Amino acid sequence: METRNFRLTIAYDGTRYLGWQKLGEPGSKDFGRTIQGKLEAILRKLTGEDAEVNGSGRTDAGVHAAAQTANVKLRYDISPEELMAYMNRYLPEDIAVLAAEEVPERFHARLHARGKTYRYRIRNSTVPDVFRSRFEYLVPEPLDLAAMEAAAAVLTGTRDYRPFCASKRTKKSTVRTVDSIRVEKTGDVVELTFHGSGFLYNMVRILTGTVLEAGLGRLDPAEIPEIFAGRRPAGYTAPARGLTLMEVEY
Amino acid sequence: METRNFRLTIAYDGTRYLGWQKLGEPGSKDFGRTIQGKLEAILRKLTGEDAEVNGSGRTDAGVHAAAQTANVKLRYDISPEELMAYMNRYLPEDIAVLAAEEVPERFHARLHARGKTYRYRIRNSTVPDVFRSRFEYLVPEPLDLAAMEAAAAVLTGTRDYRPFCASKRTKKSTVRTVDSIRVEKTGDVVELTFHGSGFLYNMVRILTGTVLEAGLGRLDPAEIPEIFAGRRPAGYTAPARGLTLMEVEY
């Protein structure tokens, strides 16, 4: 049986999980508390193979995805439709395979990703929306939207985002391109939509925390160049719950 | 200090709870796993009083509310705004007080309720919406919408709904008025909206199960009079997760 490469589009509510990346040994408790581990365990049950599900990138513990992309190589005779149906039958209701297709052998979900869209959802209220609270960060203090927009504008570009990365001592390049950070308010909800070539560890959450500090009046957007210059710290890391990976482009 | 009567509008994600009605003694584990118990525990912390929060009606374990109504009498000097802010500060993010107002002493949320709206949400798909799955019932088989509409029409009226009540041996009247059961499809989602004077124990879920059996081709809507006549059983009890109390009228 030839090896076939499947591309999967996956949605998840990350609340119950330790993140995308598998932890521990297959069958261990932690393994099943990761999205990747959950997917691999189901594929192993189906095929008997130890197949690796390559995601476009890791999402942190508690972060959600509306359309994460992954690929997996299987030596198993199954159509993409059957594969998708099988996985959705065994996945819990907080993980879903939205699409499956066969792709050329060389397709790799991480290496070939060209752009990503993340959305951070803030409810600017003292009252949570109980039907959305798993996917929102509740900020009760008043937010200055103009200051948030100004901060967002200064945070975009092609530059060294090391001050906005949780692992500051990495030896890899920390230069990234953030094309846009859109700030939109609808009712009590403020959404920050980030589009870029790729993001460092915790980068979207630290950018969000920085935009929020501007909105709370604790940071003047004009001082953001000081953060890039390493002369003052970036904002705090906004909680995982508000963040959703919306789309991966190839 | 005079006694004051507060009317509260409350939303909750019922997933984690044993239902509205308090169970066990204050302080016990089960007490805090009910919506009423949770609210009363917070009010007791605030006021030191053992105040009873009267809901418009009980919702079952796992059932949600977009706007449950309750009233509570307190001998405590606080404005409705302060009361609401205090409660939201101490409530978990799956329960929220949406409104609080002072009402005449005689107002009683259960006795004065004149009408209720419930909504049952079905996702007719093999793939869950991971962001809504706590509030939806996933039905993968094809549904005949016309049959569901026909069943819904036959199930309305002012009549004895005893066959659609989970506690069949109650000595109380089981006559109720269901003005309308609206069936609406949007994309993969079918919503049943029930409006009536009041509903018996599990009645909305059993009506939903009956409408679903018509949609699945297992029940001819023309046979529904047989259910009212006690000559055949009603449909199954649809799972709690899909049901939300939308509004209570006074």
Side-chain angles (χ1 to χ4, degrees), chain A residues 11-13 64-66 84 88 93-98 126-128 130-131 133-135 138 241, chain B residues 11-13 64-66 84 88 93-98 126-128 130-131 133-135 138 241 244:
Chain A
Y12 44 88
D13 167 357
H64 321 288
M84 175 171 153
N88 283 323
E93 288 207 0
D94 53 9
I95 307 179
V97 178
L98 305 182
T126 54
V127 186
V130 299
F131 304 112
S133 58
R134 292 159 82 86
F135 314 111
L138 196 65
R241 67 188 309 154
Chain B
Y12 44 89
D13 166 357
H64 321 288
M84 175 172 153
N88 283 322
E93 287 208 359
D94 52 9
I95 307 179
V97 178
L98 305 182
T126 54
V127 186
V130 299
F131 304 112
S133 59
R134 292 161 83 87
F135 314 110
L138 196 64
R241 67 188 309 154
T244 304

mmCIF file of all heavy atoms in Angstrom, chain A residues 11-13 64-66 84 88 93-98 126-128 130-131 133-135 138 241, chain B residues 11-13 64-66 84 88 93-98 126-128 130-131 133-135 138 241 244:
data_model
loop_
_atom_site.group_PDB
_atom_site.id
_atom_site.type_symbol
_atom_site.label_atom_id
_atom_site.label_comp_id
_atom_site.label_asym_id
_atom_site.label_seq_id
_atom_site.Cartn_x
_atom_site.Cartn_y
_atom_site.Cartn_z
ATOM 1 N N ALA A 11 -11.151 22.082 13.746
ATOM 2 C CA ALA A 11 -11.610 23.113 14.685
ATOM 3 C C ALA A 11 -11.572 22.538 16.087
ATOM 4 O O ALA A 11 -11.817 21.342 16.271
ATOM 5 C CB ALA A 11 -13.039 23.548 14.340
ATOM 6 N N TYR A 12 -11.251 23.365 17.062
ATOM 7 C CA TYR A 12 -11.337 22.892 18.443
ATOM 8 C C TYR A 12 -11.590 24.008 19.435
ATOM 9 O O TYR A 12 -11.193 25.141 19.237
ATOM 10 C CB TYR A 12 -10.096 22.081 18.873
ATOM 11 C CG TYR A 12 -8.745 22.623 18.480
ATOM 12 C CD1 TYR A 12 -8.065 23.523 19.298
ATOM 13 C CD2 TYR A 12 -8.127 22.210 17.302
ATOM 14 C CE1 TYR A 12 -6.807 24.000 18.950
ATOM 15 C CE2 TYR A 12 -6.879 22.687 16.939
ATOM 16 C CZ TYR A 12 -6.220 23.579 17.763
ATOM 17 O OH TYR A 12 -4.979 24.052 17.402
ATOM 18 N N ASP A 13 -12.291 23.617 20.479
ATOM 19 C CA ASP A 13 -12.437 24.419 21.692
ATOM 20 C C ASP A 13 -11.280 23.963 22.578
ATOM 21 O O ASP A 13 -11.286 22.847 23.098
ATOM 22 C CB ASP A 13 -13.799 24.103 22.328
ATOM 23 C CG ASP A 13 -13.928 24.628 23.761
ATOM 24 O OD1 ASP A 13 -12.953 25.189 24.298
ATOM 25 O OD2 ASP A 13 -15.011 24.457 24.345
ATOM 26 N N HIS A 64 -7.926 28.235 21.028
ATOM 27 C CA HIS A 64 -8.897 27.566 20.170
ATOM 28 C C HIS A 64 -8.496 27.654 18.693
ATOM 29 O O HIS A 64 -7.634 28.444 18.333
ATOM 30 C CB HIS A 64 -10.271 28.202 20.351
ATOM 31 C CG HIS A 64 -10.562 28.561 21.762
ATOM 32 N ND1 HIS A 64 -10.836 27.606 22.720
ATOM 33 C CD2 HIS A 64 -10.566 29.757 22.412
ATOM 34 C CE1 HIS A 64 -11.009 28.215 23.881
ATOM 35 N NE2 HIS A 64 -10.851 29.515 23.715
ATOM 36 N N ALA A 65 -9.165 26.870 17.864
ATOM 37 C CA ALA A 65 -8.964 26.984 16.423
ATOM 38 C C ALA A 65 -10.290 26.839 15.702
ATOM 39 O O ALA A 65 -11.072 25.937 15.998
ATOM 40 C CB ALA A 65 -7.984 25.923 15.921
ATOM 41 N N ALA A 66 -10.542 27.758 14.769
ATOM 42 C CA ALA A 66 -11.702 27.638 13.886
ATOM 43 C C ALA A 66 -11.302 26.849 12.650
ATOM 44 O O ALA A 66 -12.141 26.194 12.031
ATOM 45 C CB ALA A 66 -12.209 29.020 13.493
ATOM 46 N N MET A 84 -12.630 11.523 7.276
ATOM 47 C CA MET A 84 -13.268 12.607 8.034
ATOM 48 C C MET A 84 -14.435 12.078 8.871
ATOM 49 O O MET A 84 -14.572 12.409 10.055
ATOM 50 C CB MET A 84 -13.732 13.679 7.054
ATOM 51 C CG MET A 84 -14.523 14.801 7.690
ATOM 52 S SD MET A 84 -14.812 16.145 6.496
ATOM 53 C CE MET A 84 -16.323 16.833 7.177
ATOM 54 N N ASN A 88 -14.626 12.144 12.972
ATOM 55 C CA ASN A 88 -15.677 12.875 13.691
ATOM 56 C C ASN A 88 -16.536 11.955 14.545
ATOM 57 O O ASN A 88 -17.096 12.378 15.554
ATOM 58 C CB ASN A 88 -16.544 13.662 12.703
ATOM 59 C CG ASN A 88 -15.836 14.927 12.243
ATOM 60 O OD1 ASN A 88 -15.142 15.571 13.021
ATOM 61 N ND2 ASN A 88 -15.992 15.271 10.977
ATOM 62 N N GLU A 93 -16.861 16.210 21.305
ATOM 63 C CA GLU A 93 -17.560 17.302 20.611
ATOM 64 C C GLU A 93 -16.817 18.633 20.659
ATOM 65 O O GLU A 93 -17.297 19.621 20.122
ATOM 66 C CB GLU A 93 -19.005 17.439 21.125
ATOM 67 C CG GLU A 93 -19.876 16.295 20.643
ATOM 68 C CD GLU A 93 -21.372 16.652 20.517
ATOM 69 O OE1 GLU A 93 -21.767 17.784 20.798
ATOM 70 O OE2 GLU A 93 -22.129 15.754 20.104
ATOM 71 N N ASP A 94 -15.644 18.663 21.302
ATOM 72 C CA ASP A 94 -14.877 19.913 21.270
ATOM 73 C C ASP A 94 -13.724 19.876 20.261
ATOM 74 O O ASP A 94 -12.913 20.808 20.204
ATOM 75 C CB ASP A 94 -14.409 20.347 22.673
ATOM 76 C CG ASP A 94 -13.666 19.266 23.432
ATOM 77 O OD1 ASP A 94 -13.343 18.226 22.831
ATOM 78 O OD2 ASP A 94 -13.396 19.464 24.636
ATOM 79 N N ILE A 95 -13.667 18.826 19.458
ATOM 80 C CA ILE A 95 -12.721 18.777 18.331
ATOM 81 C C ILE A 95 -13.497 18.273 17.119
ATOM 82 O O ILE A 95 -14.253 17.306 17.229
ATOM 83 C CB ILE A 95 -11.533 17.815 18.581
ATOM 84 C CG1 ILE A 95 -10.822 18.128 19.912
ATOM 85 C CG2 ILE A 95 -10.540 17.861 17.418
ATOM 86 C CD1 ILE A 95 -9.654 17.182 20.217
ATOM 87 N N ALA A 96 -13.316 18.907 15.962
ATOM 88 C CA ALA A 96 -14.017 18.460 14.751
ATOM 89 C C ALA A 96 -13.105 18.567 13.540
ATOM 90 O O ALA A 96 -12.318 19.507 13.427
ATOM 91 C CB ALA A 96 -15.270 19.312 14.524
ATOM 92 N N VAL A 97 -13.211 17.589 12.654
ATOM 93 C CA VAL A 97 -12.534 17.670 11.357
ATOM 94 C C VAL A 97 -13.527 18.291 10.391
ATOM 95 O O VAL A 97 -14.583 17.719 10.123
ATOM 96 C CB VAL A 97 -12.077 16.274 10.872
ATOM 97 C CG1 VAL A 97 -11.411 16.386 9.494
ATOM 98 C CG2 VAL A 97 -11.119 15.650 11.876
ATOM 99 N N LEU A 98 -13.212 19.487 9.887
ATOM 100 C CA LEU A 98 -14.140 20.225 9.024
ATOM 101 C C LEU A 98 -13.967 19.848 7.565
ATOM 102 O O LEU A 98 -14.887 20.008 6.765
ATOM 103 C CB LEU A 98 -13.918 21.733 9.168
ATOM 104 C CG LEU A 98 -14.003 22.314 10.578
ATOM 105 C CD1 LEU A 98 -13.806 23.818 10.525
ATOM 106 C CD2 LEU A 98 -15.342 21.980 11.216
ATOM 107 N N THR A 126 -18.711 44.206 32.531
ATOM 108 C CA THR A 126 -18.607 43.540 33.832
ATOM 109 C C THR A 126 -19.397 42.231 33.838
ATOM 110 O O THR A 126 -19.329 41.458 34.783
ATOM 111 C CB THR A 126 -19.184 44.441 34.951
ATOM 112 O OG1 THR A 126 -20.516 44.800 34.574
ATOM 113 C CG2 THR A 126 -18.367 45.699 35.125
ATOM 114 N N VAL A 127 -20.157 41.998 32.747
ATOM 115 C CA VAL A 127 -21.048 40.834 32.679
ATOM 116 C C VAL A 127 -20.603 39.899 31.560
ATOM 117 O O VAL A 127 -20.553 40.302 30.407
ATOM 118 C CB VAL A 127 -22.500 41.289 32.408
ATOM 119 C CG1 VAL A 127 -23.452 40.105 32.482
ATOM 120 C CG2 VAL A 127 -22.914 42.379 33.374
ATOM 121 N N PRO A 128 -20.267 38.656 31.880
ATOM 122 C CA PRO A 128 -19.865 37.748 30.811
ATOM 123 C C PRO A 128 -21.060 37.351 29.943
ATOM 124 O O PRO A 128 -22.199 37.400 30.387
ATOM 125 C CB PRO A 128 -19.347 36.528 31.567
ATOM 126 C CG PRO A 128 -20.053 36.554 32.876
ATOM 127 C CD PRO A 128 -20.277 38.011 33.202
ATOM 128 N N VAL A 130 -22.515 34.195 28.913
ATOM 129 C CA VAL A 130 -22.285 32.816 29.387
ATOM 130 C C VAL A 130 -22.155 31.812 28.240
ATOM 131 O O VAL A 130 -21.603 30.731 28.419
ATOM 132 C CB VAL A 130 -23.394 32.346 30.361
ATOM 133 C CG1 VAL A 130 -23.430 33.231 31.596
ATOM 134 C CG2 VAL A 130 -24.757 32.283 29.690
ATOM 135 N N PHE A 131 -22.647 32.172 27.061
ATOM 136 C CA PHE A 131 -22.577 31.248 25.923
ATOM 137 C C PHE A 131 -21.266 31.407 25.136
ATOM 138 O O PHE A 131 -20.977 30.623 24.252
ATOM 139 C CB PHE A 131 -23.784 31.438 25.001
ATOM 140 C CG PHE A 131 -25.087 31.278 25.724
ATOM 141 C CD1 PHE A 131 -25.932 32.345 25.932
ATOM 142 C CD2 PHE A 131 -25.440 30.040 26.238
ATOM 143 C CE1 PHE A 131 -27.120 32.195 26.633
ATOM 144 C CE2 PHE A 131 -26.627 29.869 26.941
ATOM 145 C CZ PHE A 131 -27.470 30.956 27.140
ATOM 146 N N SER A 133 -18.295 32.632 26.965
ATOM 147 C CA SER A 133 -17.238 32.999 27.913
ATOM 148 C C SER A 133 -15.990 32.121 27.782
ATOM 149 O O SER A 133 -14.899 32.559 28.139
ATOM 150 C CB SER A 133 -17.763 33.004 29.353
ATOM 151 O OG SER A 133 -18.276 31.752 29.704
ATOM 152 N N ARG A 134 -16.123 30.911 27.229
ATOM 153 C CA ARG A 134 -14.936 30.079 27.017
ATOM 154 C C ARG A 134 -14.019 30.657 25.945
ATOM 155 O O ARG A 134 -12.865 30.251 25.831
ATOM 156 C CB ARG A 134 -15.340 28.670 26.599
ATOM 157 C CG ARG A 134 -16.033 27.901 27.718
ATOM 158 C CD ARG A 134 -16.846 26.767 27.158
ATOM 159 N NE ARG A 134 -16.098 25.562 26.861
ATOM 160 C CZ ARG A 134 -15.835 24.602 27.734
ATOM 161 N NH1 ARG A 134 -16.222 24.722 28.977
ATOM 162 N NH2 ARG A 134 -15.184 23.520 27.364
ATOM 163 N N PHE A 135 -14.564 31.566 25.126
ATOM 164 C CA PHE A 135 -13.835 32.067 23.956
ATOM 165 C C PHE A 135 -13.576 33.566 24.040
ATOM 166 O O PHE A 135 -13.224 34.190 23.038
ATOM 167 C CB PHE A 135 -14.627 31.733 22.678
ATOM 168 C CG PHE A 135 -15.113 30.316 22.665
ATOM 169 C CD1 PHE A 135 -16.468 30.018 22.785
ATOM 170 C CD2 PHE A 135 -14.213 29.264 22.587
ATOM 171 C CE1 PHE A 135 -16.912 28.699 22.826
ATOM 172 C CE2 PHE A 135 -14.642 27.939 22.620
ATOM 173 C CZ PHE A 135 -15.999 27.658 22.745
ATOM 174 N N LEU A 138 -12.788 38.688 29.535
ATOM 175 C CA LEU A 138 -13.651 39.727 30.078
ATOM 176 C C LEU A 138 -12.795 40.856 30.666
ATOM 177 O O LEU A 138 -12.022 40.632 31.598
ATOM 178 C CB LEU A 138 -14.518 39.104 31.178
ATOM 179 C CG LEU A 138 -15.752 39.863 31.650
ATOM 180 C CD1 LEU A 138 -16.778 39.990 30.534
ATOM 181 C CD2 LEU A 138 -16.380 39.127 32.845
ATOM 182 N N ARG A 241 -7.763 31.951 26.648
ATOM 183 C CA ARG A 241 -9.163 31.698 26.310
ATOM 184 C C ARG A 241 -9.710 32.592 25.204
ATOM 185 O O ARG A 241 -10.589 32.183 24.458
ATOM 186 C CB ARG A 241 -10.033 31.842 27.550
ATOM 187 C CG ARG A 241 -10.084 33.267 28.079
ATOM 188 C CD ARG A 241 -10.793 33.359 29.421
ATOM 189 N NE ARG A 241 -12.084 32.728 29.426
ATOM 190 C CZ ARG A 241 -12.673 32.237 30.513
ATOM 191 N NH1 ARG A 241 -12.064 32.325 31.671
ATOM 192 N NH2 ARG A 241 -13.850 31.678 30.436
ATOM 193 N N ALA B 11 -28.630 34.592 33.222
ATOM 194 C CA ALA B 11 -28.250 33.707 32.113
ATOM 195 C C ALA B 11 -27.298 32.652 32.649
ATOM 196 O O ALA B 11 -26.499 32.931 33.546
ATOM 197 C CB ALA B 11 -27.566 34.515 31.010
ATOM 198 N N TYR B 12 -27.400 31.444 32.117
ATOM 199 C CA TYR B 12 -26.416 30.425 32.497
ATOM 200 C C TYR B 12 -26.209 29.378 31.426
ATOM 201 O O TYR B 12 -27.093 29.061 30.656
ATOM 202 C CB TYR B 12 -26.760 29.752 33.832
ATOM 203 C CG TYR B 12 -28.198 29.342 34.058
ATOM 204 C CD1 TYR B 12 -28.665 28.093 33.663
ATOM 205 C CD2 TYR B 12 -29.078 30.211 34.706
ATOM 206 C CE1 TYR B 12 -29.976 27.707 33.899
ATOM 207 C CE2 TYR B 12 -30.402 29.831 34.944
ATOM 208 C CZ TYR B 12 -30.840 28.580 34.525
ATOM 209 O OH TYR B 12 -32.143 28.213 34.751
ATOM 210 N N ASP B 13 -24.976 28.898 31.401
ATOM 211 C CA ASP B 13 -24.597 27.705 30.648
ATOM 212 C C ASP B 13 -24.793 26.574 31.659
ATOM 213 O O ASP B 13 -24.028 26.442 32.612
ATOM 214 C CB ASP B 13 -23.135 27.835 30.223
ATOM 215 C CG ASP B 13 -22.520 26.530 29.734
ATOM 216 O OD1 ASP B 13 -23.199 25.488 29.761
ATOM 217 O OD2 ASP B 13 -21.345 26.550 29.320
ATOM 218 N N HIS B 64 -29.928 25.255 29.707
ATOM 219 C CA HIS B 64 -29.360 26.603 29.785
ATOM 220 C C HIS B 64 -30.461 27.656 29.897
ATOM 221 O O HIS B 64 -31.624 27.382 29.650
ATOM 222 C CB HIS B 64 -28.525 26.866 28.535
ATOM 223 C CG HIS B 64 -27.748 25.686 28.085
ATOM 224 N ND1 HIS B 64 -26.643 25.229 28.780
ATOM 225 C CD2 HIS B 64 -27.929 24.812 27.055
ATOM 226 C CE1 HIS B 64 -26.179 24.148 28.185
ATOM 227 N NE2 HIS B 64 -26.946 23.870 27.137
ATOM 228 N N ALA B 65 -30.049 28.886 30.202
ATOM 229 C CA ALA B 65 -31.000 30.000 30.191
ATOM 230 C C ALA B 65 -30.329 31.233 29.616
ATOM 231 O O ALA B 65 -29.204 31.565 29.997
ATOM 232 C CB ALA B 65 -31.516 30.287 31.590
ATOM 233 N N ALA B 66 -31.024 31.879 28.685
ATOM 234 C CA ALA B 66 -30.567 33.176 28.174
ATOM 235 C C ALA B 66 -31.148 34.275 29.048
ATOM 236 O O ALA B 66 -30.569 35.347 29.170
ATOM 237 C CB ALA B 66 -31.001 33.355 26.723
ATOM 238 N N MET B 84 -26.272 43.684 41.408
ATOM 239 C CA MET B 84 -25.884 43.013 40.166
ATOM 240 C C MET B 84 -24.358 42.960 40.030
ATOM 241 O O MET B 84 -23.785 41.914 39.703
ATOM 242 C CB MET B 84 -26.516 43.757 38.986
ATOM 243 C CG MET B 84 -26.089 43.239 37.640
ATOM 244 S SD MET B 84 -27.077 44.031 36.316
ATOM 245 C CE MET B 84 -25.905 43.906 34.959
ATOM 246 N N ASN B 88 -22.131 39.502 39.932
ATOM 247 C CA ASN B 88 -21.301 39.152 38.775
ATOM 248 C C ASN B 88 -19.824 39.040 39.142
ATOM 249 O O ASN B 88 -19.076 38.307 38.502
ATOM 250 C CB ASN B 88 -21.500 40.154 37.636
ATOM 251 C CG ASN B 88 -22.811 39.890 36.914
ATOM 252 O OD1 ASN B 88 -23.203 38.736 36.716
ATOM 253 N ND2 ASN B 88 -23.505 40.939 36.518
ATOM 254 N N GLU B 93 -17.951 32.239 35.399
ATOM 255 C CA GLU B 93 -18.258 32.835 34.085
ATOM 256 C C GLU B 93 -19.369 32.100 33.327
ATOM 257 O O GLU B 93 -19.727 32.498 32.229
ATOM 258 C CB GLU B 93 -16.993 32.975 33.228
ATOM 259 C CG GLU B 93 -16.105 34.101 33.747
ATOM 260 C CD GLU B 93 -15.226 34.767 32.680
ATOM 261 O OE1 GLU B 93 -15.270 34.353 31.508
ATOM 262 O OE2 GLU B 93 -14.493 35.701 33.041
ATOM 263 N N ASP B 94 -19.923 31.025 33.922
ATOM 264 C CA ASP B 94 -21.048 30.372 33.242
ATOM 265 C C ASP B 94 -22.402 30.742 33.856
ATOM 266 O O ASP B 94 -23.427 30.180 33.473
ATOM 267 C CB ASP B 94 -20.859 28.846 33.141
ATOM 268 C CG ASP B 94 -20.549 28.171 34.460
ATOM 269 O OD1 ASP B 94 -20.630 28.832 35.508
ATOM 270 O OD2 ASP B 94 -20.217 26.965 34.434
ATOM 271 N N ILE B 95 -22.399 31.693 34.781
ATOM 272 C CA ILE B 95 -23.656 32.266 35.303
ATOM 273 C C ILE B 95 -23.488 33.785 35.326
ATOM 274 O O ILE B 95 -22.442 34.276 35.762
ATOM 275 C CB ILE B 95 -23.981 31.790 36.741
ATOM 276 C CG1 ILE B 95 -23.970 30.261 36.851
ATOM 277 C CG2 ILE B 95 -25.331 32.347 37.199
ATOM 278 C CD1 ILE B 95 -24.265 29.736 38.272
ATOM 279 N N ALA B 96 -24.495 34.521 34.854
ATOM 280 C CA ALA B 96 -24.402 35.982 34.854
ATOM 281 C C ALA B 96 -25.746 36.592 35.220
ATOM 282 O O ALA B 96 -26.794 36.089 34.809
ATOM 283 C CB ALA B 96 -23.969 36.491 33.484
ATOM 284 N N VAL B 97 -25.702 37.665 35.999
ATOM 285 C CA VAL B 97 -26.902 38.449 36.261
ATOM 286 C C VAL B 97 -26.949 39.552 35.204
ATOM 287 O O VAL B 97 -26.058 40.404 35.145
ATOM 288 C CB VAL B 97 -26.879 39.058 37.682
ATOM 289 C CG1 VAL B 97 -28.125 39.908 37.920
ATOM 290 C CG2 VAL B 97 -26.795 37.948 38.724
ATOM 291 N N LEU B 98 -27.963 39.506 34.334
ATOM 292 C CA LEU B 98 -28.049 40.451 33.217
ATOM 293 C C LEU B 98 -28.771 41.734 33.608
ATOM 294 O O LEU B 98 -28.569 42.775 32.992
ATOM 295 C CB LEU B 98 -28.795 39.814 32.039
ATOM 296 C CG LEU B 98 -28.251 38.488 31.517
ATOM 297 C CD1 LEU B 98 -29.069 38.031 30.320
ATOM 298 C CD2 LEU B 98 -26.783 38.621 31.114
ATOM 299 N N THR B 126 -22.995 15.711 10.625
ATOM 300 C CA THR B 126 -22.105 14.731 11.258
ATOM 301 C C THR B 126 -20.953 15.442 11.975
ATOM 302 O O THR B 126 -20.178 14.810 12.680
ATOM 303 C CB THR B 126 -21.500 13.785 10.200
ATOM 304 O OG1 THR B 126 -20.870 14.588 9.197
ATOM 305 C CG2 THR B 126 -22.579 12.930 9.543
ATOM 306 N N VAL B 127 -20.858 16.764 11.759
ATOM 307 C CA VAL B 127 -19.733 17.529 12.287
ATOM 308 C C VAL B 127 -20.234 18.556 13.307
ATOM 309 O O VAL B 127 -21.038 19.413 12.967
ATOM 310 C CB VAL B 127 -19.001 18.275 11.148
ATOM 311 C CG1 VAL B 127 -17.746 18.957 11.671
ATOM 312 C CG2 VAL B 127 -18.677 17.332 10.005
ATOM 313 N N PRO B 128 -19.771 18.484 14.557
ATOM 314 C CA PRO B 128 -20.223 19.472 15.532
ATOM 315 C C PRO B 128 -19.617 20.843 15.248
ATOM 316 O O PRO B 128 -18.568 20.953 14.628
ATOM 317 C CB PRO B 128 -19.686 18.929 16.861
ATOM 318 C CG PRO B 128 -18.502 18.107 16.496
ATOM 319 C CD PRO B 128 -18.795 17.527 15.137
ATOM 320 N N VAL B 130 -17.706 23.227 17.200
ATOM 321 C CA VAL B 130 -17.025 23.105 18.499
ATOM 322 C C VAL B 130 -17.278 24.306 19.408
ATOM 323 O O VAL B 130 -17.108 24.212 20.621
ATOM 324 C CB VAL B 130 -15.497 22.889 18.345
ATOM 325 C CG1 VAL B 130 -15.219 21.602 17.577
ATOM 326 C CG2 VAL B 130 -14.818 24.072 17.675
ATOM 327 N N PHE B 131 -17.675 25.434 18.821
ATOM 328 C CA PHE B 131 -17.914 26.625 19.642
ATOM 329 C C PHE B 131 -19.354 26.691 20.168
ATOM 330 O O PHE B 131 -19.682 27.542 20.981
ATOM 331 C CB PHE B 131 -17.587 27.897 18.845
ATOM 332 C CG PHE B 131 -16.172 27.889 18.322
ATOM 333 C CD1 PHE B 131 -15.917 27.799 16.964
ATOM 334 C CD2 PHE B 131 -15.109 27.922 19.202
ATOM 335 C CE1 PHE B 131 -14.614 27.769 16.492
ATOM 336 C CE2 PHE B 131 -13.805 27.895 18.735
ATOM 337 C CZ PHE B 131 -13.556 27.817 17.373
ATOM 338 N N SER B 133 -21.135 23.486 20.679
ATOM 339 C CA SER B 133 -21.585 22.110 20.930
ATOM 340 C C SER B 133 -22.193 21.915 22.311
ATOM 341 O O SER B 133 -23.004 21.010 22.505
ATOM 342 C CB SER B 133 -20.459 21.107 20.665
ATOM 343 O OG SER B 133 -19.356 21.391 21.477
ATOM 344 N N ARG B 134 -21.847 22.781 23.266
ATOM 345 C CA ARG B 134 -22.463 22.666 24.591
ATOM 346 C C ARG B 134 -23.935 23.037 24.558
ATOM 347 O O ARG B 134 -24.671 22.730 25.491
ATOM 348 C CB ARG B 134 -21.753 23.594 25.581
ATOM 349 C CG ARG B 134 -20.343 23.169 25.891
ATOM 350 C CD ARG B 134 -19.549 24.311 26.461
ATOM 351 N NE ARG B 134 -19.732 24.532 27.883
ATOM 352 C CZ ARG B 134 -19.042 23.928 28.834
ATOM 353 N NH1 ARG B 134 -18.143 23.023 28.526
ATOM 354 N NH2 ARG B 134 -19.247 24.211 30.094
ATOM 355 N N PHE B 135 -24.364 23.732 23.490
ATOM 356 C CA PHE B 135 -25.727 24.279 23.423
ATOM 357 C C PHE B 135 -26.531 23.682 22.277
ATOM 358 O O PHE B 135 -27.572 24.212 21.908
ATOM 359 C CB PHE B 135 -25.655 25.811 23.289
ATOM 360 C CG PHE B 135 -24.673 26.423 24.244
ATOM 361 C CD1 PHE B 135 -23.491 26.982 23.793
ATOM 362 C CD2 PHE B 135 -24.919 26.380 25.613
ATOM 363 C CE1 PHE B 135 -22.569 27.513 24.686
ATOM 364 C CE2 PHE B 135 -24.002 26.904 26.513
ATOM 365 C CZ PHE B 135 -22.819 27.474 26.050
ATOM 366 N N LEU B 138 -26.503 17.200 18.360
ATOM 367 C CA LEU B 138 -26.036 16.821 17.033
ATOM 368 C C LEU B 138 -26.855 15.638 16.502
ATOM 369 O O LEU B 138 -26.860 14.563 17.108
ATOM 370 C CB LEU B 138 -24.560 16.431 17.129
ATOM 371 C CG LEU B 138 -23.732 16.355 15.851
ATOM 372 C CD1 LEU B 138 -23.618 17.726 15.193
ATOM 373 C CD2 LEU B 138 -22.340 15.810 16.154
ATOM 374 N N ARG B 241 -28.771 19.342 26.694
ATOM 375 C CA ARG B 241 -27.802 20.313 26.173
ATOM 376 C C ARG B 241 -28.359 21.249 25.116
ATOM 377 O O ARG B 241 -27.907 22.386 24.991
ATOM 378 C CB ARG B 241 -26.575 19.595 25.617
ATOM 379 C CG ARG B 241 -26.889 18.767 24.379
ATOM 380 C CD ARG B 241 -25.724 17.893 23.938
ATOM 381 N NE ARG B 241 -24.485 18.626 23.822
ATOM 382 C CZ ARG B 241 -23.285 18.080 23.951
ATOM 383 N NH1 ARG B 241 -23.182 16.781 24.186
ATOM 384 N NH2 ARG B 241 -22.204 18.803 23.827
ATOM 385 N N THR B 244 -32.626 25.782 25.794
ATOM 386 C CA THR B 244 -32.362 27.055 26.469
ATOM 387 C C THR B 244 -33.682 27.775 26.773
ATOM 388 O O THR B 244 -34.514 27.941 25.877
ATOM 389 C CB THR B 244 -31.468 27.965 25.590
ATOM 390 O OG1 THR B 244 -30.264 27.264 25.263
ATOM 391 C CG2 THR B 244 -31.095 29.260 26.310
#
